Amino acid sequence: MTSQRLLRFAVLAGTACAAMALAMPAASAVDLAPGVWCDGAECVNDNDEAYVVYGTLTCVVMHTEPWTDMTKPAPLPTQSIEYQRWSIVLAPHGTGTARTSGCFGGVDIDWDISGAYPQSRPPTGSAG
């Protein structure tokens, strides 16, 4: 019975890895702000000030309940989808790679670049 659970977990993990590879965005230039663009994960800042490029990772996170009753089979892990934000700072007239780290506690299956703003003027969050 234990080997079936391990096999099921391995299949779930393999599926998540395959989905991550298929979900990688195709390389195409995206203009984020005047003088700031990304081609795939490689970003360029042609401005005289630093810019923050930001986005979201979509993660599959496995959760395992504590196994306290040894007379019963171990609980199967469950998975959930979580969204984690990321950002990088591009130096003036600099370049950088977006999405520098993976999901915390999971496997990333998708990611996006949402936008960019000057580091000296962070967004206020107001819809204006």
Side-chain angles (χ1 to χ4, degrees):
M1 194 67 150
T2 303
S3 63
Q4 287 178 337
R5 287 195 177 129
L6 290 174
L7 178 62
R8 189 176 302 166
F9 180 75
V11 168
L12 286 173
T15 301
C17 288
M20 176 185 68
L22 293 173
M24 290 296 193
S28 62
V30 176
D31 290 324
L32 301 171
V36 180
W37 72 91
C38 295
D39 190 1
E42 298 304 314
C43 298
V44 176
N45 176 13
D46 279 340
N47 293 295
D48 291 333
E49 69 175 300
Y51 267 74
V52 177
V53 175
Y54 61 94
T56 306
L57 283 167
T58 304
C59 309
V60 174
V61 178
M62 301 300 288
H63 303 279
T64 305
E65 294 297 319
W67 186 23
T68 57
D69 187 353
M70 300 299 180
T71 63
K72 296 181 180 177
L76 293 175
T78 58
Q79 65 181 12
S80 65
I81 302 294
E82 297 180 6
Y83 302 94
Q84 299 176 10
R85 295 179 182 203
W86 61 267
S87 65
I88 62 167
V89 176
L90 296 177
H93 302 284
T95 62
T97 302
R99 210 181 139 254
T100 57
S101 62
C103 292
F104 178 73
V107 175
D108 51 325
I109 58 170
D110 193 14
W111 66 285
D112 69 10
I113 297 173
S114 302
Y117 57 86
Q119 188 177 24
S120 63
R121 294 186 301 267
T124 62
S126 63

